[in-house]
Amino acid sequence: MSEPAPAAAESPLDPEQRLAAEAEAESVLVLAGPGTGKTTTLVGRYVHLLGQGAQPARIFVSTFTARAADELRGRIGRRLEQRGQDFDAERFRRMPIATLHGMALRLLQRHPPPGCPRFRVFDEQACSRVIARHRLYLGDDVRKPTDVFGAYKDRLMDPAAALAEAKAKNDAALLEAAEAYGRYQRALAEEGGFDFGDLIMELVRGLETDEAYRARLAGFFDHLLIDEYQDINPAQERMLRLLRSEGARLWAVGDDDQCLYAWRSADPAFILGFEAAWPDPALYRLSRNYRSTATIVAAAAALIGGNRRRHVKDQEPHSASRLALTIAGLDDDEDEADYVLRVVKGLAGRGMPWHEMAVLYRAGHVGSRIQIKLAEAGVPLVVRGAGEFWQLGPVRLVAGLARLLAAPHDMDARAMLGHGKRVDRLLSQAPEKIDADVPWPALCRQVGRLVSATARPPGEEGLQWRDLAFTAADLAAECENVAAFIARMEEQRRSLRRAETGGDAVVLSTIHGAKGLEWSAVVVAGCEADLMPHESSPDLEEERRLMYVAATRAKRWLVLSFAAERRKTAAPSPYIAEMLAGLDTDQIRYHDTLSRTRLHAGPVAPEKAEKPLRLRPELKVSAGMRKGRPPLARTRG
């Protein structure tokens, strides 16, 4: 740790940032890759506009999160103070700097369009209560209604349009969803509520149907500054077009290589087609990376170069450091968790603060053992993108059902299961599907299979559900009996609670939850061929963007780990080889000789059936012979 991390560019702006901040075109797109000073340039644009005589109240700034909006206000204030200009913090708190949903709310409250009812904003919990009261669950009991209804609103589809789409496609699942969406909207109206999607829907409705209203609202703004432009969806894009109708200038900053939210209807076509879609367009690129070492920049560039639908852009590292990228090929998920613990403790021993380290993963179940391992070792941690392992839905079902079958009078186990259609289905199927008289580890295996298959969500969510269920069953099966499992689970939960901290802590996060953040050291765990790219994803370019975002969170140390076996035999992600192709041999370090061998061994043959648990051989024999089958092959020593 003798060489400090490169400092971020703040002030003054570098030449590329200054050109972008002072652009004069009506429609400006700034392509800003990781670490190139995106927010610095946005602040520079705002300050430049003030210097040109623009009024703060007439500059609309959109950020991706409310937290980012607060940070932006603070950075604007510091920049103005550096320049010797007056800064009234309370006045700037009232300026139009917010998320697009937050801005829509502000406009609707202060200037409601004709026909807009009085409303209260319902957060996700309130919306879930509406769904529960009106029994608006979908028939398969797996699709999350709020996600389904939100997707309609992201595409500006009211219930009538959703119903028409379902009928045109003659799709029973779509028809059921559209009908439930209509009932949901009626229920919200009865309670005087708008959810977040309704805010933009209602504002767009008013702007489109009333010319006088549109002229009035659009006339409020001279400039629209949009952060994270690659993540806007059709409803948000339409809102921006309408707010520009009175001549406001558009200045957007983003990076098509970091578009990760297709599941929220974000479409990279908006940023890729910017020049054709907006009047008097100008495109600027920020190419100097102030965050990462030369090694990380080169590896990330080699990776993302595999995508075809992207703006071509080059990055020059501010840091000339060639500190090697580390590849670790481990035996299994337990071995990986042990390795990650050694990495973070080793860095801490060399003086690195815990909060400068992060462990990132594509799928939440990859972080399960790592979360528990670090917590049991006393490492302070913060979990993002998920939560405490034993509180996750499929994990609670496995633990609760296994405990209940082993000890039918265990009321804590019944409480852990909870209530609902899925639980009722599990309890009704358990007597037929599970032999409760087998040894505890074999019982856990059966429960894991049942939970993984019963009312499992579709697509990627279903695969994560499956893997979490198997991970929970695996952890339970490692105990000798139910009493040992309860003791282990409670101790792990206590460790996790002790490890949780709001201060100096290692961050464990999904890659989606890490976007926009950075750390000195990053371990990307679970770099296997069926996880990165994820086996359920139809969009391989978005999968490559996910790996790109994960790698570019690191400032100094980047470690890529993969397991040779994670519930089944696994191969390393092809993205590792793509990254290494951009490096020289001195920029690559292998954890051990076996890691190198595993990386270059080539793909493994596909297995005919998934192996949900890696039980001790004697337990596999007992479970197999009970049903008249030969014992399964041993997969763990």
Side-chain angles (χ1 to χ4, degrees):
M1 294 184 63
S2 58
E3 182 180 339
E10 179 61 43
S11 180
L13 302 178
D14 71 25
E16 289 181 334
Q17 293 169 344
R18 184 171 299 282
L19 281 173
E22 298 178 358
E24 295 296 331
E26 290 184 23
S27 307
V28 175
L29 173 62
V30 181
L31 293 172
T36 57
K38 171 178 67 70
T39 306
T40 295
T41 308
L42 177 58
V43 171
R45 175 66 172 181
Y46 194 97
V47 173
H48 169 72
L49 293 176
L50 295 183
Q52 296 294 306
Q55 297 301 309
R58 298 184 64 80
I59 305 174
F60 167 24
V61 186
S62 165
T63 61
F64 195 63
T65 65
R67 180 179 178 180
D70 291 337
E71 178 186 347
L72 187 63
R73 288 191 184 91
R75 292 183 66 165
I76 290 171
R78 290 191 293 274
R79 178 69 65 83
L80 292 175
E81 289 172 348
Q82 289 172 4
R83 293 165 63 99
Q85 297 176 242
D86 292 334
F87 174 73
D88 184 338
E90 179 59 27
R91 177 185 172 216
F92 267 82
R93 189 183 65 80
R94 299 191 298 271
M95 292 301 102
I97 301 174
T99 65
L100 287 169
H101 288 101
M103 186 56 58
L105 173 60
R106 179 184 298 204
L107 292 173
L108 289 175
Q109 288 178 328
R110 299 182 181 181
H111 311 281
C116 179
R118 294 177 62 86
F119 66 88
R120 295 176 294 129
V121 178
F122 284 12
D123 61 16
E124 186 170 357
Q125 287 185 336
C127 293
S128 296
R129 288 194 291 270
V130 171
I131 289 168
R133 281 195 298 272
H134 294 269
R135 309 297 297 171
L136 295 175
Y137 303 109
L138 302 179
D140 55 16
D141 196 31
V142 293
R143 288 175 294 169
K144 194 175 181 181
T146 51
D147 290 344
V148 173
F149 305 153
Y152 282 129
K153 296 177 184 185
D154 289 340
R155 294 187 290 148
L156 288 173
M157 296 181 70
D158 61 17
L163 192 60
E165 178 189 63
K167 290 179 178 178
K169 293 184 176 181
N170 193 28
D171 187 310
L174 282 179
L175 184 62
E176 178 196 41
E179 291 174 344
Y181 177 36
R183 296 196 300 273
Y184 172 70
Q185 288 301 98
R186 290 192 292 274
L188 282 180
E190 290 171 1
E191 299 190 32
F194 275 9
D195 64 18
F196 292 135
D198 286 321
L199 299 173
I200 291 181
M201 285 270 288
E202 181 63 20
L203 183 62
V204 168
R205 182 199 65 79
L207 293 169
E208 286 186 329
T209 59
D210 192 303
E211 291 186 9
Y213 179 72
R214 180 168 67 251
R216 180 187 175 203
L217 256 65
F220 287 161
F221 303 114
D222 297 323
H223 301 276
L224 307 178
L225 276 54
I226 312 300
D227 194 9
E228 303 288 3
Y229 188 76
Q230 75 278 356
D231 291 325
I232 66 169
N233 60 43
Q236 295 166 340
E237 198 266 355
R238 184 60 182 158
M239 172 182 164
L240 292 177
R241 285 193 176 277
L242 292 165
L243 289 176
R244 268 202 80 186
S245 62
E246 292 299 304
R249 292 174 178 264
L250 174 66
W251 190 94
V253 60
D255 180 12
D256 50 297
D257 291 334
Q258 299 184 70
C259 182
L260 307 182
Y261 292 98
W263 54 281
R264 291 184 183 173
S265 303
D267 190 342
F270 290 126
I271 192 168
L272 293 174
F274 185 93
E275 292 173 283
W278 296 97
D280 184 28
L283 187 65
Y284 293 82
R285 289 176 170 85
L286 306 183
S287 62
R288 194 154 188 81
N289 186 307
Y290 293 93
R291 173 186 298 162
S292 303
T293 64
T295 297
I296 295 170
V297 171
L303 170 71
I304 202 62
N307 278 2
R308 293 188 175 185
R309 294 185 66 230
R310 62 184 294 261
H311 286 290
V312 177
K313 57 187 84 72
D314 296 319
Q315 283 201 23
E316 289 294 328
H318 181 76
S319 166
S321 171
R322 294 170 62 85
L323 186 68
L325 179 155
T326 299
I327 307 297
L330 293 315
D331 292 342
D332 52 25
D333 54 345
E334 288 186 51
D335 193 22
E336 182 180 56
D338 288 334
Y339 173 74
V340 172
L341 175 61
R342 292 196 299 273
V343 169
V344 299
K345 292 188 75 172
L347 290 171
R350 296 168 64 186
M352 181 178 288
W354 297 116
H355 68 266
E356 281 293 335
M357 309 177 215
V359 183
L360 308 181
Y361 30 82
R362 172 68 177 85
H365 71 91
V366 172
S368 302
R369 281 196 181 272
I370 298 172
Q371 182 184 149
I372 291 171
K373 180 67 67 174
L374 266 59
E376 288 183 334
V379 175
L381 56 90
V382 173
V383 181
R384 292 178 178 160
E388 180 192 317
F389 174 71
W390 292 108
Q391 293 299 319
L392 300 176
V395 176
R396 285 179 24 250
L397 291 178
V398 169
L401 184 58
R403 286 176 54 176
L404 191 64
L405 291 172
H409 300 295
D410 185 345
M411 299 309 295
D412 289 338
R414 187 63 186 85
M416 179 177 287
L417 275 174
H419 302 279
K421 290 182 180 179
R422 182 180 284 125
V423 174
D424 293 342
R425 192 172 300 137
L426 278 173
L427 293 175
S428 67
Q429 292 182 5
E432 176 186 352
K433 302 283 187 180
I434 295 177
D435 181 356
D437 294 329
V438 298
W440 165 256
L443 173 67
C444 295
R445 178 187 185 192
Q446 295 177 62
V447 170
R449 282 179 166 168
L450 179 61
V451 172
S452 74
T454 300
R456 191 170 86 190
E460 180 178 336
E461 185 181 354
L463 293 177
Q464 294 200 33
W465 175 281
R466 175 200 68 188
D467 290 331
L468 282 168
F470 289 154
T471 300
D474 199 2
L475 287 166
E478 291 169 2
C479 301
E480 294 183 2
N481 52 46
V482 64
F485 168 61
I486 293 173
R488 182 183 187 189
M489 181 178 65
E490 291 304 318
E491 176 53 36
Q492 288 177 348
R493 293 180 68 175
R494 283 192 293 270
S495 297
L496 288 168
R497 286 193 291 270
R498 287 194 300 266
E500 289 176 357
T501 174
D504 190 18
V506 176
V507 172
L508 272 63
S509 176
T510 60
I511 299 171
H512 284 97
K515 189 177 173 191
L517 303 175
E518 61 180 36
W519 296 272
S520 292
V522 170
V523 178
V524 185
C527 295
E528 290 127 41
D530 59 346
L531 293 174
M532 300 179 76
H534 199 281
E535 59 188 302
S536 73
S537 176
D539 188 345
L540 295 181
E541 294 216 343
E542 178 162 315
E543 291 298 301
R544 188 175 278 107
R545 292 195 293 268
L546 274 163
M547 184 66 162
Y548 177 76
V549 166
T552 55
R553 301 310 92 195
K555 293 188 284 187
R556 296 279 296 144
W557 282 269
L558 177 61
V559 179
L560 308 179
S561 70
F562 63 92
E565 183 177 348
R566 192 185 301 275
R567 198 183 44 77
K568 61 182 180 181
T569 304
S573 168
Y575 297 152
I576 299 178
E578 292 182 15
M579 295 174 72
L580 298 190
L583 302 179
D584 297 326
T585 55
D586 66 305
Q587 295 174 291
I588 304 169
R589 175 182 176 271
Y590 293 94
H591 165 54
D592 53 20
T593 303
L594 190 55
S595 295
R596 181 198 296 267
T597 301
R598 283 170 169 160
L599 180 64
H600 298 290
V604 296
E607 297 179 358
K608 294 181 180 180
E610 62 184 26
K611 293 181 283 186
L613 275 177
R614 301 186 297 277
L615 296 177
R616 292 194 298 272
E618 65 272 17
L619 298 175
K620 292 177 180 176
V621 171
S622 66
M625 293 180 65
R626 179 179 57 80
K627 295 189 177 182
R629 297 194 305 267
L632 297 175
R634 178 173 179 169
T635 58
R636 175 184 292 173

